[in-house]
């Protein structure tokens, strides 16, 4: 199984849109794909009523739910979604700290591996705990950029962060 992170230090660059479209494209190409929403804002699941009812990634990682309980099958046989689950804004920081070392996300990938070709992570903006945990586990990183000076200036920071993590 391969893992791909969609990450950027800057918000509003289209990470979720890119993640959703990539997940669908890979699934339509025949790859068994899971799109995991690691952003506490939970945008991947906004349009799915079943996602709002799921305990999601947070419920699975804290041991309250099984993977089968939180994975949402779509009308495309090869595509499943793993919403982040309900989260109070005040819990977002603790969630980030919980995922920062990457071990819990590594266990998630191991659990998904037998039935998954691609695990695609949609991350929150910035290099906080959640994104760092995802980057520690990703085989590759895709970073959407807007054609503007501020967005372009964030790219070296992302590359430095990835380089730092690859040295660990």
């Amino acid at each position: 199984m391969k893992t791909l992170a969609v990450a950027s230090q800057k918000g509003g660059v289209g990470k979720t849109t890119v993640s959703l479209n990539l997940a669908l494209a890979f699934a339509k190409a025949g790859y068994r794909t899971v799109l995991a929403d690691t952003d506490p804002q939970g945008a991947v699941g906004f349009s799915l009523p079943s996602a709002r009812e799921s305990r999601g990634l947070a419920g699975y990682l804290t041991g309250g739910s099984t993977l089968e309980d939180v994975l949402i099958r779509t009308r495309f046989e090869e595509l499943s979604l793993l919403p982040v689950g309900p989260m109070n804004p005040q819990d977002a920081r603790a969630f980030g700290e919980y995922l920062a070392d990457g071990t819990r996300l590594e266990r998630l990938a191991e659990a998904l591996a037998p039935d998954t070709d691609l695990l695609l992570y949609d991350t929150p903006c910035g290099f906080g705990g959640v994104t760092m945990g995802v980057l520690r586990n990703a085989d590759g990183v895709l970073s959407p950029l807007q054609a503007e000076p501020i967005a372009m200036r964030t790219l070296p920071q992302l590359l430095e962060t990835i380089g730092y993590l690859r040295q660990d």
Side-chain angles (χ1 to χ4, degrees):
M1 180 182 73
K2 295 292 181 183
T3 56
L4 179 63
V6 179
S8 173
Q9 183 171 352
K10 190 169 180 318
V13 296
K15 290 181 299 298
T16 299
T17 301
V18 167
S19 297
L20 286 164
N21 284 303
L22 272 177
L24 181 58
F26 277 109
K28 283 186 169 184
Y31 295 93
R32 298 169 300 164
T33 304
V34 172
L35 173 55
D37 188 358
T38 63
D39 187 343
Q41 292 181 9
V44 167
F46 277 158
S47 62
L48 300 170
S50 56
R52 286 180 285 224
E53 298 167 8
S54 172
R55 292 203 60 230
L57 177 66
Y60 172 72
L61 293 176
T62 58
S65 300
T66 66
L67 198 51
E68 294 77 29
D69 291 339
V70 297
L71 267 180
I72 297 173
R73 307 287 175 200
T74 69
R75 63 184 169 141
F76 299 98
E77 185 178 333
E78 295 82 11
L79 178 60
S80 295
L81 302 178
L82 181 53
V84 72
M87 187 174 308
N88 293 322
Q90 60 269 25
D91 295 335
R93 183 174 179 177
F95 182 68
E97 291 169 0
Y98 186 70
L99 299 183
D101 70 358
T103 57
R104 288 165 185 87
L105 292 169
E106 184 177 4
R107 281 184 256 159
L108 169 68
E110 290 170 358
L112 288 168
D115 300 312
T116 305
D117 299 314
L118 175 68
L119 173 55
L120 183 63
Y121 290 105
D122 182 33
T123 66
C125 67
F127 298 133
V130 172
T131 301
M132 294 300 281
V134 170
L135 292 176
R136 282 185 165 90
N137 284 285
D139 295 314
V141 180
L142 179 67
S143 185
L145 288 175
Q146 294 173 329
E148 63 182 21
I150 293 174
M152 297 300 287
R153 289 184 195 128
T154 65
L155 186 58
Q157 293 171 332
L158 175 63
L159 295 174
E160 288 173 18
T161 301
I162 293 169
Y164 166 77
L165 292 173
R166 294 297 182 222
Q167 292 175 4
D168 281 352

